[in-house]
Amino acid sequence: MDSVGDWLIMLIAAGVMGWWIVRRVDRWLHEPPDARLRRLAVAGGVEEDEHVSLLKEQGFHVLSGKHRIPLGVSVDDGPVMPTRLYFDYLAEKENKYYLVKLERPRQPMEWTASGLRERLLVYALLFPDCHGIVLVLPQERQIKTVRFKVEAGEK
């Protein structure tokens, strides 16, 4: 009798696990493209400061602030070295999401195509649902929006 009961418990457990996996995959397949950004928007709080005020003046609604994305880097199958990627705010304007970076005096932005690519392309690749990356220049009280477009290669 014990073996019949054990098999029954195993079959029920396998059925529940299978049902759970199917539900998770189905939810993942049907979630909207910007669901990851929506989760980020809920995750962080926003402190009112001059940067947030400047963004509001330009028509942005700041959803959350100070995000840290943990990454791991491995060289030649060596140990994984932890690192982080930061962005300052997640904002919305006209139902489009934007990542916001503040320009820091000790790390000025190089306003060339290659300089922007080196500093900001990683954000565009990590969050393809974002409409662009907004750079806040606090000293000039300016906001600039950067977008990347993949062009057709030369033949």
Side-chain angles (χ1 to χ4, degrees), residues 109-121 146 148:
M109 186 64 65
E110 185 179 330
W111 292 100
T112 62
S114 60
L116 292 170
R117 180 195 67 222
E118 294 298 319
R119 290 277 299 274
L120 301 176
L121 182 62
V146 177
F148 292 96

Side-chain angles (χ1 to χ4, degrees), residues 9 14 21-24 27 35 42 44 99 110 121 124:
I9 291 173
I21 289 170
V22 167
R23 293 246 323 151
R24 293 289 294 177
R27 184 179 299 157
V42 173
L99 296 180
E110 185 179 330
L121 182 62

Side-chain angles (χ1 to χ4, degrees), residues 22-153:
V22 167
R23 293 246 323 151
R24 293 289 294 177
V25 169
D26 186 56
R27 184 179 299 157
W28 174 72
L29 285 173
H30 292 99
E31 87 179 352
D34 60 358
R36 185 173 168 203
L37 290 171
R38 289 181 193 188
R39 283 192 298 274
L40 274 177
V42 173
V46 180
E47 293 181 18
E48 193 71 29
D49 60 9
E50 70 268 6
H51 307 118
V52 173
S53 299
L54 182 59
L55 287 163
K56 286 182 178 178
E57 288 172 14
Q58 298 292 324
F60 288 94
H61 174 66
V62 179
L63 302 171
S64 63
K66 307 296 181 197
H67 290 281
R68 180 181 64 139
I69 301 161
L71 300 171
V73 178
S74 174
V75 178
D76 291 335
D77 295 326
V80 176
M81 298 174 282
T83 187
R84 291 163 301 285
L85 191 62
Y86 296 94
F87 64 95
D88 296 296
Y89 301 105
L90 179 63
E92 179 186 26
K93 183 177 183 180
E94 298 171 358
N95 293 324
K96 296 176 183 166
Y97 290 103
Y98 296 87
L99 296 180
V100 180
K101 291 278 297 168
L102 302 177
E103 185 179 50
R104 311 271 191 239
R106 59 187 168 94
Q107 292 179 325
M109 186 64 65
E110 185 179 330
W111 292 100
T112 62
S114 60
L116 292 170
R117 180 195 67 222
E118 294 298 319
R119 290 277 299 274
L120 301 176
L121 182 62
V122 66
Y123 297 102
L125 294 175
L126 274 174
F127 298 99
D129 303 323
C130 275
H131 195 66
I133 297 138
V134 173
L135 292 165
V136 177
L137 312 170
Q139 286 78 19
E140 295 89 22
R141 292 199 47 82
Q142 287 184 336
I143 291 179
K144 297 186 182 232
T145 304
V146 177
R147 290 184 191 91
F148 292 96
K149 180 182 178 232
V150 179
E151 296 180 355

